[in-house]
Structures are given as C-alpha cells and as structure tokens.
Amino acid sequence: MSRAGAEAFDCQACGACCAFSRDWPRFWTESEAEIERIPQRYRDDARMRCDGDRCSALEGEVGRSTRCVVYADRPVVCRDCVPGDDACRIARAGLGLAA
C-alpha cells in the first residue's frame, strides 16, 4: 500500500485492530525486558490482556477516538500493523467500520 493510501486510515480515530480479537496481541520476539516495560495490568504471560476482544491498553471509543496507553512499549505485532493493510481492513469490517 502506498504511503498516501495508508494516510487515509487514521489509527487514532479507529482502534479496530486493537479491539477485533483477543488472539491478536501476542508477544512473539520481545525480550523479557521489553515485556517488563509494559505495566502488568495490561499484560498476561504471553500476550496483552484483553477485555473481551479489546486490548486493555486501548482507551477511547473505537471508530471515533482511541489511543494506546502503552504505545511507546507496544508489542512487535502492534508495531508491525500497517494502516490500511489487509489485517486493518478485516478488523474494520469485523467491527462495522468503513474500509
């Protein structure tokens, strides 16, 4: 996807990828030190803690205004998420948000 295409997807007005599946926010390549930087209230042993399908570190209203409270220390899987890619579009569609 081109950079211009990605700009059409405003993550802070969306949050769908963080509220789509409790299986999504897993730790893969993070070191112990990287995981320890995430406050315990937001993580379990192998992944981010979720409230239902929504990551507990996501604040705000999905589709309107959201933010990640651990953004600087978020897991690799979250860092690899690309606005407007297939996974983004699937999450948006699953939550009834425009593609």
Side-chain angles (χ1 to χ4, degrees), residues 27 30 33-39 43 48 68-76 78-79:
F27 301 131
E30 291 81 5
E34 289 170 318
I35 293 170
E36 288 294 319
R37 285 197 299 263
I38 300 169
R43 61 182 163 83
M48 295 296 290
C68 174
V69 298
V70 298
Y71 187 82
D73 297 314
R74 69 196 184 282
V76 170
C78 302
R79 292 175 187 275

Side-chain angles (χ1 to χ4, degrees), residues 28-83:
W28 297 103
T29 61
E30 291 81 5
S31 68
E32 283 285 323
E34 289 170 318
I35 293 170
E36 288 294 319
R37 285 197 299 263
I38 300 169
Q40 181 66 47
R41 68 183 172 272
Y42 299 120
R43 61 182 163 83
D44 288 328
D45 292 331
R47 63 191 202 119
M48 295 296 290
R49 182 166 287 140
C50 291
D51 301 316
D53 287 335
R54 181 182 172 128
C55 178
S56 63
L58 181 66
E59 287 186 343
E61 184 180 344
V62 173
R64 293 188 49 100
S65 177
T66 60
R67 77 179 193 101
C68 174
V69 298
V70 298
Y71 187 82
D73 297 314
R74 69 196 184 282
V76 170
V77 68
C78 302
R79 292 175 187 275
D80 288 346
C81 191
V82 176

